Amino acid sequence: MLSEKTIQVIKSTVPVLQVHGTAITKRFYQMLFTNHPALLNLFNHANQKQGKQPTALANAVYAAALYIDKLETIIPVVKQIAHKHRSLGVKPEQYPIVGQTLLAAIKDVLGDAATDEILQAWAEAYGVIAQVFIDVEAEMYQQSEQQSGGWADFRAFRVQRKVVESDVITSFYLVPQDGGALAAFEPGQYVSVKLQIPGEAHTHIRQYSLSDAPGKPYYRISVKREEAIQVKGKPEGKVSMYLHTQVKEGDVLWLSAPAGDFTLDQKDTRPAVFISGGVGLTPLVSMMTTLAASAPDRPITFIHAAQNGSVHALRQEIEELAGRSPQIKVYWCYEKPTTMERENIVYDKEGYIDLPWLQRVLSSPEAVFYFCGPVPFMRTINRLLKELGVADADRRYEFFGPSGDLEAPDEAAASEAAVQR
């Protein structure tokens, strides 16, 4: 337990962290990778270069300081991060390295303002917070390994099938190379894929949502090709490009066991509404497919936004599922439909999802809402659902990449690129 004095010192740093938090975490990652380059094997390099990871860490540090006397308040965030850590293979022995580097970064950025008293308080607080993560992750590692079909770390999977779903999205059907059983997963969860790309100094790990329902003899991931993303003038999306262009049927990929807390609540009996943008439909397809089988009388609405039909993945699969159940309604919103699509009316709305249209297609806002997609899209959907009167607890979402802020103005996110897991 932390002393009252330590708690008060940590709380006194909250205003400083609000101003300098991102500068501290940027310096932290610079120092971490300089002194411990092997850790580059665990991190998404694109998120580092785009500043997403330092921002996410700064938010987490700020929250820890703000609620240092009520750490139970941030347990949901701890569990969300712990899922990522377990899927990446973060180990307890790495936490002291992180703690030492974080303190050094605080001192480096704040200079004389980081007094010995402040640094000592943060050292004590970090020890307590780190132990919370270690304990939560230890339980996750144990559960992952000991469940039926489970495993520790990474396991070899063979690409059984590779299916082009759209101009930019391809699905990979993956089966265990050892022929063993598959671990169960919750609809909405993801797996980490670890690749050693020829010519790259470090391994690359990315998380991809499982895009089919549990209980199948395979895992399916549906990956968006991201070659258009530019970071400091250089193209990113190395992993997705490699999967699309180099990985063939019969090749082997290394996967961690399924993880993630963005999951379908199958005990809820209310109508379910799924709203996706772009490749954000992948976890929602898993949820909807599962729900249609387990609760056929539960009303489902599936709304998907895409630029046009050429980049719209899994449309036929969703329509076939809806065709078998009068309880499922699907709607397509195309930002820039082609002339042929306009003439044949193959979509329900042109442009962007807006409040009047949502009010028309939804029979009632009394439902649980799941949404996923690019950050600007999710900010818009979150705002629209709030305007509809949907309670916070009934708006459930997931970021592809480090967690962000859905309360920021939509226009502030206009230039943000959607990051595929």
Side-chain angles (χ1 to χ4, degrees):
M1 295 292 293
L2 295 173
S3 68
E4 184 61 30
K5 180 180 179 181
T6 296
I7 289 172
Q8 292 308 313
V9 172
I10 294 296
K11 279 187 168 291
S12 74
T13 66
V14 168
V16 177
L17 292 173
Q18 193 169 20
V19 176
H20 299 287
T22 301
I24 291 170
T25 54
K26 284 183 178 178
R27 183 60 180 142
F28 160 79
Y29 281 116
Q30 291 169 355
M31 298 172 76
L32 183 69
F33 296 142
T34 298
N35 297 327
H36 305 279
L39 291 177
L40 282 165
N41 292 309
L42 293 179
F43 286 84
N44 184 322
H45 305 174
N47 287 338
Q48 292 296 324
K49 293 175 183 176
Q50 295 174 35
K52 294 177 181 293
Q53 193 67 54
T55 299
L57 178 58
N59 291 338
V61 172
Y62 174 78
L66 188 63
Y67 298 105
I68 192 66
D69 55 340
K70 299 177 181 178
L71 286 178
E72 67 276 6
T73 304
I74 63 171
I75 286 298
V77 176
V78 169
K79 288 184 176 180
Q80 184 182 66
I81 297 173
H83 273 288
K84 289 280 182 74
H85 285 180
R86 201 278 296 157
S87 76
L88 292 170
V90 172
K91 302 301 183 185
E93 57 267 25
Q94 291 164 334
Y95 276 92
I97 295 172
V98 170
Q100 294 163 11
T101 307
L102 181 60
L103 291 176
I106 291 173
K107 181 64 176 178
D108 193 64
V109 172
L110 299 184
D112 293 341
T115 64
D116 290 343
E117 183 181 49
I118 287 175
L119 293 175
Q120 180 59 36
W122 264 107
E124 292 179 25
Y126 176 82
V128 171
I129 296 168
Q131 193 59 53
V132 173
F133 274 96
I134 290 169
D135 292 344
V136 171
E137 288 162 19
E139 185 176 345
M140 289 181 176
Y141 275 111
Q142 183 179 33
Q143 181 182 10
S144 171
E145 185 173 3
Q146 294 182 358
Q147 67 176 315
S148 176
W151 69 93
D153 298 318
F154 288 82
R155 180 181 180 187
F157 277 70
R158 179 173 54 85
V159 180
Q160 185 182 61
R161 283 198 296 150
K162 182 178 178 181
V163 178
V164 175
E165 306 285 7
S166 77
D167 287 356
V168 296
I169 297 176
T170 292
S171 288
F172 298 80
Y173 291 74
L174 308 169
V175 296
Q177 189 181 36
D178 59 17
L182 278 173
F185 66 91
E186 293 293 318
Q189 288 191 308
Y190 55 82
V191 292
S192 286
V193 179
K194 180 168 68 173
L195 292 174
Q196 181 65 64
I197 300 175
E200 292 288 318
H202 301 282
T203 57
H204 291 265
I205 303 178
R206 296 291 186 275
Q207 286 85 40
Y208 293 104
S209 296
L210 292 160
S211 62
D212 206 343
K216 304 292 178 67
Y218 55 79
Y219 289 156
R220 185 180 74 179
I221 59 174
S222 301
V223 179
K224 180 185 177 186
R225 189 178 67 244
E226 294 284 8
E227 83 260 45
I229 293 180
Q230 296 285 324
V231 180
K232 295 183 179 179
K234 296 181 180 180
E236 286 298 337
K238 292 177 181 178
V239 172
S240 65
M241 282 294 291
Y242 185 79
L243 289 169
H244 273 252
T245 63
Q246 302 300 317
V247 173
K248 308 179 299 297
E249 292 182 353
D251 286 350
V252 171
L253 299 177
W254 290 86
L255 271 61
S256 67
D261 63 346
F262 178 60
T263 57
L264 175 68
D265 182 358
Q266 299 188 61
K267 295 180 181 179
D268 197 328
T269 58
R270 293 174 297 167
V273 180
F274 303 103
I275 308 177
S276 58
V279 77
L281 86 169
T282 51
L284 305 188
V285 169
S286 177
M287 292 181 183
M288 185 185 74
T289 305
T290 300
L291 195 59
S294 63
D297 294 328
R298 186 172 169 184
I300 297 172
T301 301
F302 194 99
I303 300 169
H304 181 64
Q307 189 172 39
N308 54 49
S310 67
V311 294
H312 184 174
L314 306 174
R315 172 170 175 156
Q316 182 177 347
E317 179 176 320
I318 296 169
E319 289 181 339
E320 288 178 353
L321 185 64
R324 296 194 293 270
S325 171
Q327 295 288 359
I328 301 176
K329 298 179 181 179
V330 296
Y331 300 94
W332 312 131
C333 178
Y334 285 177
E335 178 189 351
K336 298 177 182 177
T338 65
T339 300
M340 185 175 296
E341 287 170 342
R342 287 193 185 97
E343 291 174 349
N344 293 298
I345 317 178
V346 296
Y347 55 91
D348 300 283
K349 187 183 190 310
E350 182 173 347
Y352 299 99
I353 295 173
D354 56 32
L355 187 60
W357 185 72
L358 268 183
Q359 289 172 322
R360 286 199 300 272
V361 301
L362 297 177
S363 57
S364 168
E366 298 300 318
V368 57
F369 292 79
Y370 298 84
F371 58 100
C372 189
V375 174
F377 171 85
M378 294 210 300
R379 285 188 173 131
T380 297
I381 297 303
N382 187 58
R383 174 177 55 80
L384 294 177
L385 295 182
K386 288 176 69 174
E387 291 177 10
L388 279 173
V390 179
D392 290 354
D394 294 331
R395 302 195 309 272
R396 305 177 189 182
Y397 55 87
E398 181 174 51
F399 289 94
F400 277 3
S403 294
D405 179 13
L406 288 192
E407 298 302 325
D410 297 338
E411 58 270 18
S415 62
E416 292 188 33
V419 178
Q420 164 67 45
R421 277 194 193 283

CSV table of all heavy atoms in Angstrom, one decimal, residues 16-17 20 24 105-114 118:
chain,number,residue,atom,x,y,z
A,16,VAL,N,1.1,18.6,-14.2
A,16,VAL,CA,2.3,18.5,-15.0
A,16,VAL,C,2.2,17.5,-16.0
A,16,VAL,O,2.6,17.7,-17.2
A,16,VAL,CB,3.5,18.3,-14.1
A,16,VAL,CG1,4.8,18.1,-14.9
A,16,VAL,CG2,3.7,19.4,-13.0
A,17,LEU,N,1.6,16.3,-15.7
A,17,LEU,CA,1.4,15.2,-16.6
A,17,LEU,C,0.5,15.6,-17.7
A,17,LEU,O,0.6,15.2,-18.9
A,17,LEU,CB,1.0,14.0,-15.9
A,17,LEU,CG,2.0,13.3,-15.0
A,17,LEU,CD1,1.4,12.2,-14.2
A,17,LEU,CD2,3.2,12.8,-15.8
A,20,HIS,N,2.8,17.9,-19.9
A,20,HIS,CA,4.0,17.3,-20.4
A,20,HIS,C,4.0,15.8,-20.6
A,20,HIS,O,5.0,15.2,-21.0
A,20,HIS,CB,5.2,17.6,-19.5
A,20,HIS,CG,5.4,19.1,-19.3
A,20,HIS,ND1,6.0,19.9,-20.3
A,20,HIS,CD2,5.1,19.9,-18.3
A,20,HIS,CE1,6.0,21.1,-19.9
A,20,HIS,NE2,5.5,21.2,-18.7
A,24,ILE,N,7.0,13.3,-22.2
A,24,ILE,CA,7.7,12.3,-21.3
A,24,ILE,C,7.6,11.0,-22.0
A,24,ILE,O,8.6,10.2,-22.0
A,24,ILE,CB,7.0,12.3,-19.9
A,24,ILE,CG1,7.3,13.6,-19.2
A,24,ILE,CG2,7.5,11.1,-19.1
A,24,ILE,CD1,6.5,13.7,-17.9
A,105,ALA,N,13.0,9.2,-18.0
A,105,ALA,CA,12.3,10.1,-18.9
A,105,ALA,C,11.7,11.3,-18.2
A,105,ALA,O,11.7,12.4,-18.7
A,105,ALA,CB,11.3,9.4,-19.8
A,106,ILE,N,11.1,11.0,-17.1
A,106,ILE,CA,10.5,12.1,-16.3
A,106,ILE,C,11.5,13.1,-15.9
A,106,ILE,O,11.3,14.3,-16.0
A,106,ILE,CB,9.8,11.5,-15.0
A,106,ILE,CG1,8.5,10.7,-15.4
A,106,ILE,CG2,9.4,12.7,-14.1
A,106,ILE,CD1,7.9,10.0,-14.3
A,107,LYS,N,12.6,12.6,-15.4
A,107,LYS,CA,13.7,13.5,-15.0
A,107,LYS,C,14.3,14.3,-16.2
A,107,LYS,O,14.6,15.5,-16.1
A,107,LYS,CB,14.8,12.7,-14.4
A,107,LYS,CG,16.0,13.5,-13.9
A,107,LYS,CD,15.6,14.5,-12.8
A,107,LYS,CE,16.8,15.2,-12.2
A,107,LYS,NZ,16.4,16.2,-11.2
A,108,ASP,N,14.4,13.6,-17.3
A,108,ASP,CA,15.0,14.2,-18.5
A,108,ASP,C,14.1,15.3,-19.1
A,108,ASP,O,14.6,16.4,-19.5
A,108,ASP,CB,15.2,13.1,-19.6
A,108,ASP,CG,16.1,13.6,-20.7
A,108,ASP,OD1,17.3,13.9,-20.5
A,108,ASP,OD2,15.6,13.7,-21.9
A,109,VAL,N,12.8,15.1,-19.0
A,109,VAL,CA,11.9,16.2,-19.6
A,109,VAL,C,11.6,17.3,-18.6
A,109,VAL,O,11.6,18.5,-19.0
A,109,VAL,CB,10.6,15.5,-20.0
A,109,VAL,CG1,9.5,16.6,-20.4
A,109,VAL,CG2,10.8,14.6,-21.2
A,110,LEU,N,11.5,16.9,-17.3
A,110,LEU,CA,11.1,18.0,-16.4
A,110,LEU,C,12.3,18.6,-15.7
A,110,LEU,O,12.1,19.7,-15.1
A,110,LEU,CB,10.2,17.3,-15.3
A,110,LEU,CG,8.9,16.7,-15.7
A,110,LEU,CD1,8.1,16.2,-14.5
A,110,LEU,CD2,8.1,17.7,-16.5
A,111,GLY,N,13.5,18.0,-15.8
A,111,GLY,CA,14.7,18.7,-15.2
A,111,GLY,C,14.6,18.8,-13.7
A,111,GLY,O,14.1,17.9,-13.0
A,112,ASP,N,14.9,20.0,-13.2
A,112,ASP,CA,14.9,20.2,-11.8
A,112,ASP,C,13.6,20.2,-11.1
A,112,ASP,O,13.4,20.0,-9.9
A,112,ASP,CB,15.6,21.6,-11.5
A,112,ASP,CG,17.0,21.7,-11.8
A,112,ASP,OD1,17.6,20.6,-11.9
A,112,ASP,OD2,17.6,22.8,-12.0
A,113,ALA,N,12.5,20.3,-12.0
A,113,ALA,CA,11.1,20.2,-11.4
A,113,ALA,C,10.8,18.8,-10.9
A,113,ALA,O,10.0,18.6,-10.1
A,113,ALA,CB,10.1,20.6,-12.5
A,114,ALA,N,11.6,17.8,-11.5
A,114,ALA,CA,11.4,16.4,-11.0
A,114,ALA,C,12.3,16.2,-9.8
A,114,ALA,O,13.5,15.8,-9.9
A,114,ALA,CB,11.8,15.4,-12.1
A,118,ILE,N,9.6,13.7,-5.8
A,118,ILE,CA,8.7,13.2,-6.8
A,118,ILE,C,9.1,11.9,-7.5
A,118,ILE,O,8.3,11.0,-7.7
A,118,ILE,CB,8.6,14.4,-7.9
A,118,ILE,CG1,7.7,15.5,-7.3
A,118,ILE,CG2,7.9,13.8,-9.2
A,118,ILE,CD1,7.7,16.7,-8.3
